Amino acid sequence: MPANKNALIRYKTIDNCLRNPYRRWTLEDLVDACSDALYDMEGIRKGVSVRTVQGDIQMMRSDKLGYNAPIEVYDHKYYRYADKDYSITDMPLSQNDYEVMKEAVDMLRQLQDFDQFAEMSDAVSRLQDKLAITQKNRKPIIHFDNVPDLKGLKLLNPLYNYIAHKQTLRIMYQSFSARKPQEFILCPYLLKEFRNRWFLFGSKATDLLLYNLTLDRIVSVEPADVPFRENPDFDSEHFFDDVIGVSKNIRNTPRKIRFWASCEQSRYIMTKPVHPSQIVLKKNEDDGSCIFQIEVVINFEMYSVFMSYGPGIKIIYPHSAVSYMRDKLKEAAGLYDKYVE
């Protein structure tokens, strides 16, 4: 019997509750936990009924989904696992499950040759590796950079659905520098990831001023009874073509950035460009160093990328960027001048 997405969220929530030995869980507690999980992950506000959770518990106890969960009632009102080490997430894949998933992965791999599916390669590789680990009981051979406990990740699903349904939002947001949260009435357009951190792009419903909000600084999100407005100046498909990272305003214009790179760093930058607009202006045949050029909006992320190369890179144009880098590197060097062993 197939389980829908909301049911799977409830099963996982109940599983997480019953695995917690430091709390006694009543049926009402499980109902509240499932309601909270569905709101956090899917934006569903109507909650879950007692009857629904009772049915979930019966389903988890049965072998219909292969769980056979040892859920028991003690003291006539509390629920727990009779086996303290049990979890539905530890269930091995059946041969049928494995074959179905392998077929799905094979189908997804065929789509990778199409440009619009090129970004699926990482996800497909993850699935393929997980299947091999399950079937052959071997250690993983692919490792992807991720931050599983990053605050704000639970907002991804509800925000995705709000964007898809063009729902204006009331967002309470507290930046790192703010003493208290600030309210935004925002028309959301896009979710973007950069260096394992997620950002929400949207415009204020009143003046269409564009904002990007870090998900881990969002305090709360709820639908707002305000008409949704598109921003004609925001093209989510091409907005980031001329930017490194996420910091950009609609009015920002790209600048030509020229920089020198040492022989060692030039080899690296040749194979992994700083930005897709990167070109080689000059190569020094004597020492192997190169002068490159990119055309991007100048922002904090651009500077942080250049600083990550240390003495292997030097910005040589424009003068404002040269001055910024010089001042920041002097400031950083000053910290080490004061260092005492």
Side-chain angles (χ1 to χ4, degrees):
M1 176 183 293
N4 64 38
K5 185 178 181 181
N6 292 344
L8 291 175
I9 291 173
R10 297 196 305 271
Y11 299 155
K12 186 176 179 181
T13 301
I14 294 171
D15 179 68
N16 288 335
C17 292
L18 301 185
R19 289 172 60 198
N20 181 0
Y22 303 106
R23 178 170 173 179
R24 290 152 67 92
W25 296 93
T26 65
L27 183 61
E28 289 73 20
D29 292 333
L30 296 177
V31 169
D32 290 341
C34 289
S35 298
D36 291 342
L38 286 172
Y39 176 72
D40 290 341
M41 301 179 72
E42 297 296 318
I44 297 175
R45 301 172 59 88
K46 65 180 180 180
V48 178
S49 69
V50 170
R51 184 174 179 179
T52 295
V53 174
Q54 287 175 324
D56 292 339
I57 291 173
Q58 292 305 316
M59 181 64 72
M60 293 172 68
R61 281 172 170 162
S62 73
D63 63 356
K64 291 181 179 179
L65 297 176
Y67 292 155
N68 294 299
I71 300 174
E72 65 178 8
V73 179
Y74 66 102
D75 293 346
H76 305 292
K77 63 182 298 187
Y78 300 109
Y79 289 78
R80 68 183 177 191
Y81 282 141
D83 179 359
K84 295 181 179 179
D85 296 325
Y86 177 85
S87 172
I88 63 173
T89 59
D90 294 333
M91 292 293 297
L93 279 179
S94 67
Q95 184 61 33
N96 181 63
D97 292 336
Y98 172 80
E99 294 298 335
V100 170
M101 292 187 69
K102 185 176 183 298
E103 184 176 333
V105 169
D106 290 341
M107 181 186 69
L108 290 172
R109 279 208 169 276
Q110 295 178 34
L111 297 175
Q112 290 181 116
D113 292 333
F114 295 90
D115 290 343
Q116 58 267 45
F117 294 102
E119 295 182 0
M120 290 186 356
S121 59
D122 282 357
V124 173
S125 295
R126 293 176 196 241
L127 287 170
Q128 189 177 43
D129 197 43
K130 286 291 186 182
L131 286 176
I133 293 169
T134 301
Q135 190 71 1
K136 301 176 182 177
N137 195 28
R138 66 157 172 79
K139 293 182 178 180
I141 58 177
I142 300 177
H143 183 270
F144 292 87
D145 189 23
N146 64 81
V147 186
D149 297 324
L150 185 65
K151 186 179 177 183
L153 291 182
K154 288 184 178 180
L155 293 173
L156 283 176
N157 275 335
L159 287 175
Y160 177 92
N161 290 327
Y162 287 139
I163 293 172
H165 291 92
K166 299 184 183 299
Q167 172 65 59
T168 305
L169 301 175
R170 175 175 283 102
I171 297 176
M172 298 303 296
Y173 183 82
Q174 186 170 6
S175 66
F176 286 112
S177 59
R179 293 185 177 181
K180 59 182 182 180
Q182 176 184 0
E183 182 182 86
F184 287 86
I185 304 299
L186 203 75
C187 301
Y189 304 135
L190 181 73
L191 287 165
K192 180 173 174 58
E193 185 266 347
F194 179 67
R195 290 185 174 178
N196 290 318
R197 177 161 272 144
W198 284 90
F199 300 82
L200 172 67
F201 280 77
S203 292
K204 291 181 72 171
T206 52
D207 55 13
L208 292 184
L209 188 63
L210 186 68
Y211 284 89
N212 78 72
L213 306 180
T214 314
L215 263 60
D216 58 21
R217 304 309 303 163
I218 292 178
V219 177
S220 64
V221 179
E222 63 180 20
D225 189 18
V226 176
F228 184 91
R229 298 177 64 189
E230 296 284 1
N231 189 328
D233 296 322
F234 180 75
D235 180 356
S236 61
E237 186 175 0
H238 298 292
F239 185 75
F240 299 98
D241 289 353
D242 55 10
V243 67
I244 296 173
V246 296
S247 300
K248 179 188 175 183
N249 190 285
I250 290 174
R251 300 177 185 84
N252 292 148
T253 56
R255 299 284 306 277
K256 286 182 170 62
I257 312 294
R258 291 197 285 273
F259 60 95
W260 167 91
S262 66
C263 177
E264 180 181 0
Q265 293 293 6
S266 290
R267 294 172 186 161
Y268 182 78
I269 293 170
M270 288 280 196
T271 57
K272 187 182 179 184
V274 173
H275 185 263
S277 64
Q278 178 178 297
I279 58 174
V280 179
L281 294 180
K282 182 179 179 181
K283 181 174 182 181
N284 190 319
E285 299 297 340
D286 295 331
D287 62 9
S289 64
C290 292
I291 294 178
F292 297 89
Q293 178 176 286
I294 59 175
E295 190 166 355
V296 298
V297 169
I298 296 177
N299 62 10
F300 172 79
E301 293 95 309
M302 184 203 78
Y303 286 126
S304 68
V305 167
F306 281 122
M307 288 180 183
S308 70
Y309 289 97
I313 273 186
K314 176 185 177 182
I315 295 181
I316 57 178
Y317 181 84
H319 299 305
S320 59
V322 174
S323 298
Y324 181 93
M325 289 288 287
R326 181 188 62 232
D327 294 344
K328 288 299 180 182
L329 290 172
K330 279 184 178 180
E331 186 179 338
L335 298 175
Y336 290 94
D337 290 341
K338 301 175 184 177
Y339 178 74
V340 178
E341 188 70 41

